[in-house]
Amino acid sequence: MDELREDMAGAEATGKPPVLWVVVPCYNEQEVLPTTAGVLAEKLASLRARGMVASASRILLVNDGSKDETWRLARALHDDPASLGLPNAVGMFCAISFAHNEGHQNALFAGLMHALERGCDCAVSLDADLQDDPNAIDEMLRAHAQGAEVVYGVRSSRASDSAFKRDTAEAFYGLMRWLGVEMVSDSADYRLMGRRSLEALSRYGEANLFLRGIVPALGFTSAKVEYVRAPRAAGESKYPLGKMLSFALEGITSFSVRPVRLVLLAGLVFLLVALVMVLYALASLVAGRVVAGWTSLMISVWFVGGVTVTSLGIVGEYVGRIYLESKHRPRYIIAETLD
């Protein structure tokens, strides 16, 4: 009862409870989606009952070109949630479906922009696997009511991760900080964004989306809410090692030119080494020692060749990003919308 009074007091302080949209990107989530839908529907009903959100609040499912039954389930949740055992969820769910798989970040962006267009006051994004604790939404809404435009869900601990995943995550955040990218450590894409920050986000037209870097760069007042990350409720992870490495590369090339500057620095270092070798060669010529060593020659050739190819690869990544941006193709095509 005390919690209810506190929630109602917060709603009254802002004049009326906000219209909340919960955005859930989905890719081949047929195994977990019925469970996730039930948990989120119960959470939204609770928030409505306590006056923390308006009755117009919705749950938006974004189907990212799934090849399984995800879209059929999303349609059922929209048309007849009782058929999936959720008779009290009528009118809670809406959905959009991509014509093709475009990636998690594009699906997330599309959902947030759809929520903005439909008049939300704030939007919470979370994955469909229920690893992000929906109960943290309560604290996010309270922080938002107290003035935070962006509220990040932050993991309280990585004890459940393997040593490899924990070490690589720490290395990734450390690398991004060193490259000058502003990120919130131990925070993925579980966050609340208010309408002002969503409007600011809508102005970002780049093809290479890295929302974990873009949202902090918006500069709005922010807060953090800690939660315990749970095991995946069902199904398999959509982020194997290969995709994680690709995602990290996306973040680096989207927000930092320092790797290219390191290539320039490496070139200057090798130029200095070359000048030293010229002096050494001249000194050897004067001293009569003109036979070069085979070992030093082979090491130099392979080392310089490897650095050269790596440098071309780094520059090529940036050129490729420029190529993609220059075409101005749409990030995604929405094939169907269920409001």
Side-chain angles (χ1 to χ4, degrees):
M1 184 61 70
D2 291 339
E3 184 180 2
L4 176 58
R5 291 195 188 99
E6 179 184 342
D7 296 334
M8 292 297 291
E12 291 172 1
T14 58
K16 59 179 181 179
V19 176
L20 169 70
W21 280 55
V22 180
V23 178
V24 187
C26 304
Y27 177 66
N28 293 343
E29 301 288 4
Q30 65 177 13
E31 296 179 23
V32 74
L33 190 55
T35 302
T36 301
V39 172
L40 293 181
E42 183 179 355
K43 170 53 62 178
L44 186 58
S46 172
L47 293 172
R48 285 176 174 178
R50 289 182 286 151
M52 293 187 70
V53 300
S55 59
S57 299
R58 309 289 294 278
I59 300 169
L60 172 63
L61 305 175
V62 184
N63 177 42
D64 184 20
S66 299
K67 297 178 176 60
D68 60 2
E69 296 297 307
T70 296
W71 182 239
R72 182 189 66 78
L73 293 171
R75 182 186 291 280
L77 288 167
H78 172 268
D79 296 341
D80 184 19
S83 64
L84 297 178
L86 301 174
N88 297 324
V90 175
M92 279 190 182
F93 290 91
C94 52
I96 57 177
S97 181
F98 285 178
H100 186 267
N101 175 247
E102 301 293 352
H104 178 270
Q105 297 291 282
N106 283 319
L108 185 53
F109 183 87
L112 293 174
M113 293 303 100
H114 189 81
L116 178 64
E117 292 169 2
R118 296 303 189 272
C120 76
D121 294 314
C122 56
V124 169
S125 56
L126 77 166
D127 292 338
D129 54 18
L130 288 182
Q131 288 189 279
D132 301 323
D133 183 8
N135 291 318
I137 296 176
D138 301 56
E139 290 300 323
M140 289 181 173
L141 287 167
R142 293 189 183 101
H144 179 58
Q146 293 170 4
E149 180 63 21
V150 180
V151 185
Y152 300 98
V154 177
R155 297 180 62 170
S156 59
S157 171
R158 284 190 172 271
S160 59
D161 288 348
S162 65
F164 173 77
K165 189 171 184 180
R166 186 164 54 249
D167 293 342
T168 53
E170 291 176 356
F172 171 68
Y173 285 113
L175 175 62
M176 295 300 281
R177 284 193 295 270
W178 181 75
L179 291 172
V181 183
E182 185 179 356
M183 288 183 63
V184 179
S185 297
D186 296 324
S187 173
D189 289 305
Y190 187 25
R191 67 178 76 89
L192 178 147
M193 298 182 67
R195 187 169 185 84
R196 287 188 301 151
S197 57
L198 289 172
E199 289 173 345
L201 180 62
S202 69
R203 299 171 62 185
Y204 281 70
E206 58 210 63
N208 303 301
L209 276 176
F210 186 67
L211 294 176
R212 298 185 195 184
I214 292 176
V215 175
L218 296 177
F220 288 99
T221 303
S222 64
K224 299 178 183 178
V225 171
E226 291 190 349
Y227 70 97
V228 178
R229 189 167 172 85
R232 185 179 175 88
E236 298 179 353
S237 172
K238 304 305 184 295
Y239 265 93
L241 180 60
K243 280 193 174 182
M244 289 175 65
L245 292 174
S246 177
F247 184 67
L249 182 61
E250 188 83 28
I252 292 170
T253 54
S254 294
F255 274 86
S256 178
V257 296
R258 187 167 289 183
V260 177
R261 291 173 180 167
L262 291 176
V263 170
L264 174 61
L265 179 61
L268 293 175
V269 170
F270 279 110
L271 179 60
L272 292 175
V273 172
L275 291 175
V276 171
M277 294 303 296
V278 167
L279 295 176
Y280 172 75
L282 292 175
S284 298
L285 179 62
V286 172
R289 293 181 283 106
V290 294
V291 179
W294 181 85
T295 302
S296 61
L297 176 63
M298 293 304 296
I299 291 175
S300 299
V301 169
W302 283 102
F303 183 68
V304 174
V307 171
T308 300
V309 173
T310 302
S311 301
L312 287 173
I314 292 174
V315 175
E317 283 292 332
Y318 283 90
V319 173
R321 297 293 190 269
I322 295 171
Y323 170 68
L324 292 174
E325 296 289 350
S326 67
K327 292 188 290 186
H328 300 292
R329 291 180 177 176
R331 295 193 187 104
Y332 49 81
I333 301 295
I334 296 179
E336 193 170 351
T337 301
L338 302 174
D339 281 329

